[in-house]
């Protein structure tokens, strides 16, 4: 299970240290790593990493989420969610891609939407009125007979 | 692929097979075909071509195919990268590979020995 690349901490713009506690709304664009305690809301267009020591109680909207710690709250990630083996997640997850490592604890709903599959479903639905095909064939047949 | 499990392979449903009805076995069931009905086994392996429409109860479950229905296991649920699950999962251990699809609720309670991080409020006895 070591296939996923470990995140280089020096590459992360903001790190919330272990002894830091935050209450409120957090907004960021690039990357944030939480090692401390956070309560409130998180809005991001980038990467959110929740460290193994972190405790987050928040509604999270982000692009990517990698969690090693404890999260309570609903998560919406536009790209992907990774729950590492040490993570504990209580709340719903909405994302197109999810990876859960063995050992992680997840209680909540997982809502996944994938565009290509929806299109395929729609196509099959559109196909169902077969009367069009048969009527076309009939017209051709009649055409042949009449000529 | 992942055939090396301790219990005996009792049921093997080939890719060109459709079964309507419940499936009960004490051994391992490998399903590469279609099953429409509930499946109850020690271990269940759903291959890439396999699909199940119904409730699933087992000790362990590995899915690389499609499942539509609720899942309840006592040990582990593993959804592989081609796997697709539509339904609720109840298990102490859940692993989902990248690329897998899971739409539903997950209810997990750790087994004894682990620190009980998720304890549901119990009604007084």
């Amino acid at each position: 299970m070591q296939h996923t690349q470990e995140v280089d901490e020096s590459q992360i713009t903001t790190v919330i240290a272990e002894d830091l506690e935050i209450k409120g709304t957090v907004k960021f664009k690039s990357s944030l790593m939480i090692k401390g305690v956070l309560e409130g809301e998180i809005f991001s267009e980038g990467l959110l990493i929740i460290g193994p020591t972190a405790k987050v109680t928040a509604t999270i909207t982000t692009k990517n989420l990698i969690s090693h710690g404890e999260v309570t709250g609903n998560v919406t990630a536009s790209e992907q969610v990774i729950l590492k083996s040490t993570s504990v997640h209580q709340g719903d997850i909405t994302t197109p891609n999810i990876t859960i490592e063995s050992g992680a604890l997840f209680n909540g709903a997982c809502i996944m939407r994938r565009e290509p599959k929806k299109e395929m479903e729609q196509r099959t639905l559109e196909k169902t009125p077969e009367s069009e095909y048969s009527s076309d064939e009939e017209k051709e047949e009649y055409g042949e007979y009449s000529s | 692929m992942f055939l090396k499990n301790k219990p005996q392979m009792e049921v093997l449903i080939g890719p060109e097979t459709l079964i309507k009805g419940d499936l009960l076995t004490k051994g391992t069931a490998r399903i590469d075909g279609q099953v429409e009905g509930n499946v109850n086994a020690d271990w269940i392996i759903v291959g890439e071509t396999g699909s199940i429409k119904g409730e699933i109860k087992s000790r362990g479950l590995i899915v690389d195919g499609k499942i539509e229905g609720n899942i309840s296991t006592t040990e582990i649920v593993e959804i592989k990268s081609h796997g697709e699950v539509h339904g609720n999962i109840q298990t102490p251990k859940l692993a989902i590979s990248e690329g897998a699809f899971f739409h539903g609720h997950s209810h997990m309670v750790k087994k004894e020995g682990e620190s009980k991080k998720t304890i549901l409020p119990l009604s007084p006895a």
Side-chain angles (χ1 to χ4, degrees):
Chain A
M1 280 282 173
Q2 253 105 50
H3 56 88
T4 32
Q5 73 289 352
E6 286 308 311
V7 180
D8 185 6
E9 232 177 89
S10 59
Q11 305 263 311
I12 299 160
T13 353
T14 316
V15 178
I16 295 175
E18 279 170 57
D19 61 344
L20 189 65
E21 211 177 306
I22 294 181
K23 274 185 193 177
T25 308
V26 176
K27 280 185 189 177
F28 64 96
K29 276 189 177 171
S30 57
S31 53
L32 169 72
M33 185 172 191
I34 302 169
K35 291 178 171 178
V37 179
L38 195 142
E39 270 178 49
E41 287 173 305
I42 301 168
F43 294 99
S44 117
E45 294 160 24
L47 171 68
L48 173 66
I49 300 159
I50 292 160
T53 52
K55 277 187 185 174
V56 178
T57 310
T59 307
I60 300 169
T61 310
T62 182
K63 193 165 111 182
N64 289 297
L65 169 71
I66 301 172
S67 172
H68 301 259
E70 272 187 61
V71 181
T72 308
N74 297 346
V75 173
T76 308
S78 60
E79 217 163 73
Q80 76 163 340
V81 172
I82 300 171
L83 298 185
K84 295 283 187 180
S85 56
T86 52
S87 71
V88 177
H89 193 103
Q90 313 273 9
D92 299 349
I93 296 176
T94 309
T95 182
N97 278 298
I98 191 160
T99 307
I100 299 179
E101 283 187 1
S102 176
L105 212 59
F106 167 43
N107 276 304
C110 180
I111 301 144
M112 288 180 87
R113 286 191 193 92
R114 277 183 186 170
E115 297 312 317
K117 290 216 166 153
K118 271 193 171 173
E119 278 172 29
M120 271 171 74
E121 277 168 22
Q122 275 171 359
R123 261 178 237 151
T124 48
L125 282 173
E126 280 162 12
K127 264 186 189 175
T128 39
E130 281 166 20
S131 53
E132 280 178 33
Y133 289 94
S134 56
S135 64
D136 283 345
E137 277 167 19
E138 273 169 23
K139 272 176 201 167
E140 274 173 27
E141 274 174 23
Y142 286 134
E144 274 172 34
Y145 280 116
S146 61
S147 67
Chain B
M1 203 175 155
F2 33 58
L3 285 167
K4 292 273 155 60
N5 280 308
K6 281 161 268 163
Q8 284 177 309
M9 186 73 70
E10 286 277 346
V11 183
L12 180 70
I13 295 166
E16 302 287 299
T17 311
L18 167 68
I19 289 184
K20 284 188 186 178
D22 297 353
L23 200 149
L24 280 147
T25 174
K26 282 188 177 169
T28 300
R30 188 186 165 106
I31 293 155
D32 290 318
Q34 287 179 59
V35 175
E36 286 180 18
N38 304 334
V39 181
N40 200 326
D42 184 48
W43 270 83
I44 302 167
I45 299 163
V46 182
E48 210 181 313
T49 53
S51 73
I52 300 173
K53 268 186 198 176
E55 304 272 314
I56 288 164
K57 268 194 185 147
S58 68
R59 195 153 65 88
L61 168 72
I62 300 169
V63 196
D64 208 17
K66 196 175 175 182
I67 290 177
E68 282 175 54
N70 298 337
I71 295 162
S72 166
T73 73
T74 53
E75 260 177 36
I76 188 169
V77 172
E78 213 175 320
I79 309 174
K80 297 280 181 183
S81 55
H82 298 104
E84 211 180 309
V85 173
H86 300 258
N88 302 332
I89 297 176
Q90 189 167 1
T91 179
K93 213 168 187 184
L94 173 67
I96 300 181
S97 303
E98 204 177 335
F101 188 93
F102 167 43
H103 196 112
H105 267 89
S106 162
H107 181 77
M108 293 172 81
V109 177
K110 282 263 171 179
K111 279 188 169 176
E112 73 288 344
E114 305 268 351
S115 57
K116 286 181 180 171
K117 288 162 186 165
T118 54
I119 304 168
L120 294 170
L122 287 169
S123 53

